[in-house]
Amino acid sequence: MSLIAFQQTSEEGLFEGCGREGPILSIFIAEFHHIAGPKIVYQHPYVIQKEVFDSVSTYIIPKTHLQRITMTVNVLGKKIIGYPIQIQNDKYERNAFYFNTCFVCDAWARTVQYERVLVKLAEFFNSLELEIEYLSKKSESCTNGSLDMETELKEMFSAILNGINGPQRECSYVFQNRLLALKVVPAVLSDPPWVDSHTVPVFVTDVGPIERWDLTTQQIIPYVDGFNHVAQISHLADVHINLVKTCLQNLLYYNLIKMIPAFQYSNMYCITPSFHTKLMLSDNQFKDDCITFVARTEHVRPSFADVVRFYCSLKRGVTVKELALRFRQVAASAAVRVLVLDSKYSSSKYSDQSLSSSAQSRTSSNPTTPIKIHTQSLSTRTSISKRHMSEFQSVLSVIDERKLIQFGLLHNLIRRIEKYPVFIKKEKESGQQGLNALNSSRNNSGTGTSQQLQTPLQSAYGTNGSKIHHVSGSGSEPVHEATNQWDKCRKKLPNLYAMFNGSNSFDKICLAHGFSQNELDDITDMDPDVVTIWK
């Protein structure tokens, strides 16, 4: 039996009600024999002694009014969870057949998460009894010395224990030409959060064979690559966006994916307070995972110093594009070349020339120079301690900035600084005060009536997309003209301005109305009554 997800421990504080989950130690089937009374038909592995079973047999095979009820019994350091079933039929000796399928756990373990699994397994045996009388006939043959049932149940219970106690917490097993699928659903999980159309799903664990998912999930999984946002996945997979969101919510519920903001080179990021504790003070394994994940090619590992240097350069007011241009001019630190030499691969495919050419072809925007390496042995995996560069090589030739941002968001090392537009509805009094101040400033300057005023209102766009030029005359005329132009523009886009409430980010607004970032920037920058909040 494999207990991968749990570890037996002798720590203090393990008691009934402590809230900690424990593994399933054993599975057994008990029945009421018409002569011998309650007995265990088969148990794997052997945990419950006969004396222990006899002391609680009244609760394992209970009275009729307690049938089909999940019952839990604590006895001598063990917790027995059972689901007794009674099948009434005249063909049985006492006109009924009583049996119970039970899980055995530690007395301190929380077991409520196993109840649905137990009920499904008990109903599976109930179906077998109703269809082919598996339990009643096989138990008699097992008593007479036949090992068929014992062998079958041993294989079945071993598969269930390995699956349910494993990291995936699930098991699929074919028994008597029937498929049995079991999965532990954690009861502590809350409802999954709402999935926005502009967010990006990223797998954080292996989803297993794609065939075990429903048809819609099978259709969208190939497009979940960590960079496609929800609306883009809906378009590529040709699936309605509401169905895509539902499938992603299901994956979120089982902690198979995480949602992160969409990557754009115009984005701004900053490190979080957990950057120091999670990355700088972490163990070597986490640092090694980070370096492997952000490497541009799998054959060249960047240095940890370059990774930290890029992360620490993320701050307010600096976009990823600006950092990318800067680090293309910065020399990379000494890195490590990892060369995989397996017998099933030809040496020409993984030669130094092919590695350099493949790396250059995959990073055409950041071409790399050939790297001189010295192999120490022809083992299955050879690590080259240091590499010596014959020519200049930039940081971004060994680090993928998109993967770097993705890793930081997944592990809460960094966070995105987003823009939120807010439409401020000015009062008439404040508008009149601004107009008086404008007239006073113009009169004091003495520049004449033909000079154009350099105010935000005068640089605003009209409804036809051209800038508003003001004519000579009264100082209030150009202001009123620009105000009227913007009022007409706002009336044409009421749904757009309704989202300028400070709670909708630029990404969400652009995706909802089909604008690009530049187009929305033009509207928010030129409209004098719209302010942008960075947070």
Side-chain angles (χ1 to χ4, degrees):
M1 180 178 63
S2 174
L3 302 181
I4 302 176
F6 306 96
Q7 292 182 354
Q8 301 272 358
T9 178
S10 59
E11 296 178 2
E12 297 181 359
L14 297 181
F15 55 90
E16 171 66 20
C18 65
R20 291 187 55 179
E21 294 186 10
I24 300 175
L25 303 179
S26 177
I27 304 176
F28 70 85
I29 295 180
E31 69 169 18
F32 182 83
H33 192 267
H34 63 282
I35 297 177
K39 69 172 186 177
I40 295 179
V41 177
Y42 182 74
Q43 177 181 192
H44 177 78
Y46 190 76
V47 174
I48 299 298
Q49 307 291 333
K50 185 179 184 303
E51 295 77 10
V52 177
F53 176 80
D54 292 339
S55 64
V56 294
S57 61
T58 305
Y59 305 100
I60 303 299
I61 306 296
K63 300 297 182 180
T64 304
H65 64 279
L66 294 178
Q67 300 296 321
R68 293 186 178 273
I69 296 176
T70 304
M71 301 182 64
T72 303
V73 181
N74 277 8
V75 54
L76 299 177
K78 295 293 183 289
K79 179 182 291 187
I80 302 175
I81 319 161
Y83 187 74
I85 294 179
Q86 175 191 19
I87 303 176
Q88 294 184 350
N89 198 304
D90 296 340
K91 64 184 177 181
Y92 299 114
E93 293 291 338
R94 299 198 179 188
N95 298 328
F97 179 74
Y98 300 86
F99 75 96
N100 195 350
T101 308
C102 299
F103 290 166
V104 181
C105 301
D106 290 306
W108 53 264
R110 181 178 180 271
T111 57
V112 65
Q113 70 277 5
Y114 297 132
E115 291 182 357
R116 293 186 179 181
V117 178
L118 176 65
V119 171
K120 187 172 184 179
L121 180 60
E123 294 293 351
F124 180 80
F125 282 115
N126 182 46
S127 299
L128 286 176
E129 176 63 25
L130 293 175
E131 294 174 9
I132 61 175
E133 299 181 1
Y134 179 81
L135 293 177
S136 58
K137 289 185 177 181
K138 290 287 185 177
S139 61
E140 291 294 338
S141 62
C142 185
T143 304
N144 296 331
S146 176
L147 299 179
D148 292 341
M149 182 181 185
E150 182 178 348
T151 303
E152 292 174 350
L153 291 179
K154 180 179 180 181
E155 295 177 355
M156 179 186 188
F157 290 171
S158 297
I160 293 176
L161 290 174
N162 291 332
I164 297 300
N165 292 336
Q168 298 296 334
R169 313 297 302 278
E170 63 182 22
C171 172
S172 296
Y173 189 78
V174 177
F175 187 80
Q176 294 289 322
N177 298 324
R178 295 164 177 82
L179 176 63
L180 173 64
L182 304 174
K183 182 174 180 62
V184 177
V185 179
V188 296
L189 291 180
S190 59
D191 292 336
W194 174 254
V195 175
D196 291 317
S197 302
H198 61 279
T199 54
V200 176
V202 183
F203 282 113
V204 295
T205 186
D206 184 20
V207 295
I210 192 175
E211 294 79 10
R212 72 186 181 94
W213 295 99
D214 59 88
L215 295 179
T216 307
T217 305
Q218 292 182 29
Q219 197 167 348
I220 69 173
I221 280 180
Y223 302 101
V224 180
D225 61 352
F227 299 103
N228 294 331
H229 55 73
V230 176
Q232 192 173 3
I233 292 174
S234 173
H235 174 72
L236 294 174
D238 194 19
V239 178
H240 195 275
I241 190 169
N242 290 338
L243 294 177
V244 174
K245 291 181 178 181
T246 302
C247 293
L248 293 177
Q249 279 187 307
N250 184 52
L251 296 175
L252 271 174
Y253 183 81
Y254 293 112
N255 293 324
L256 296 179
I257 63 172
K258 285 186 178 181
M259 307 300 296
I260 62 175
F263 176 86
Q264 297 181 91
Y265 280 95
S266 58
N267 292 349
M268 297 182 187
Y269 301 89
C270 65
I271 59 176
T272 62
S274 60
F275 175 82
H276 182 69
T277 56
K278 280 192 174 182
L279 185 63
M280 304 303 296
L281 299 181
S282 63
D283 55 4
N284 293 331
Q285 181 61 41
F286 184 79
K287 296 177 181 178
D288 184 73
D289 292 341
C290 176
I291 292 173
T292 303
F293 187 87
V294 305
R296 188 170 290 275
T297 65
E298 60 182 357
H299 311 292
V300 180
R301 292 165 53 85
S303 67
F304 182 70
D306 288 338
V307 174
V308 174
R309 180 163 47 167
F310 196 102
Y311 274 135
C312 292
S313 299
L314 298 172
K315 57 183 179 180
R316 299 175 184 269
V318 180
T319 63
V320 178
K321 180 180 179 180
E322 295 173 353
L323 286 181
L325 294 175
R326 182 193 309 173
F327 278 94
R328 283 177 184 171
Q329 311 300 324
V330 178
S333 304
V336 175
R337 162 69 60 83
V338 177
L339 192 61
V340 179
L341 299 175
D342 285 341
S343 58
K344 62 181 179 179
Y345 299 120
S346 61
S347 59
S348 59
K349 180 180 179 181
Y350 288 92
S351 62
D352 184 47
Q353 290 79 6
S354 64
L355 291 178
S356 299
S357 60
S358 64
Q360 184 170 354
S361 63
R362 278 181 284 181
T363 58
S364 56
S365 59
N366 303 297
T368 60
T369 57
I371 302 173
K372 299 178 181 180
I373 64 173
H374 173 69
T375 56
Q376 296 175 345
S377 63
L378 293 180
S379 58
T380 302
R381 183 178 180 90
T382 304
S383 298
I384 311 306
S385 61
K386 288 188 178 182
R387 66 178 187 185
H388 304 280
M389 296 174 292
S390 57
E391 294 181 8
F392 173 79
Q393 190 174 29
S394 66
V395 172
L396 291 189
S397 64
V398 294
I399 293 180
D400 190 336
E401 64 275 12
R402 301 208 308 169
K403 291 184 178 179
L404 188 79
I405 297 297
Q406 186 184 102
F407 185 88
L409 292 173
L410 288 175
H411 295 276
N412 197 29
L413 303 178
I414 61 174
R415 67 175 184 87
R416 183 183 172 188
I417 305 173
E418 298 193 69
K419 295 188 292 185
Y420 295 84
V422 180
F423 176 53
I424 302 176
K425 298 179 181 179
K426 295 184 178 180
E427 300 290 340
K428 292 184 179 181
E429 290 78 12
S430 62
Q432 185 63 36
Q433 291 177 1
L435 182 61
N436 296 336
L438 182 65
N439 292 333
S440 175
S441 175
R442 175 175 177 159
N443 294 334
N444 293 334
S445 61
T447 56
T449 59
S450 62
Q451 183 179 359
Q452 295 183 0
L453 303 176
Q454 302 300 320
T455 63
L457 283 176
Q458 293 177 350
S459 62
Y461 285 102
T463 56
N464 59 355
S466 59
K467 288 185 177 180
I468 301 173
H469 297 280
H470 306 290
V471 296
S472 59
S474 174
S476 61
E477 292 180 1
V479 178
H480 285 302
E481 181 180 355
T483 303
N484 293 334
Q485 293 278 11
W486 277 112
D487 288 339
K488 293 179 181 179
C489 179
R490 294 163 189 159
K491 291 179 180 179
K492 291 182 178 180
L493 300 171
N495 295 331
L496 174 65
Y497 277 84
M499 299 187 71
F500 292 173
N501 54 13
S503 60
N504 298 311
S505 65
F506 258 53
D507 288 349
K508 186 175 182 178
I509 297 174
C510 288
L511 196 60
H513 296 276
F515 287 115
S516 66
Q517 288 276 351
N518 293 335
E519 292 173 342
L520 189 58
D521 274 330
D522 290 340
I523 296 176
T524 56
D525 291 344
M526 297 303 172
D527 193 330
D529 292 339
V530 175
V531 296
T532 301
I533 300 175
W534 294 82
K535 61 180 180 179

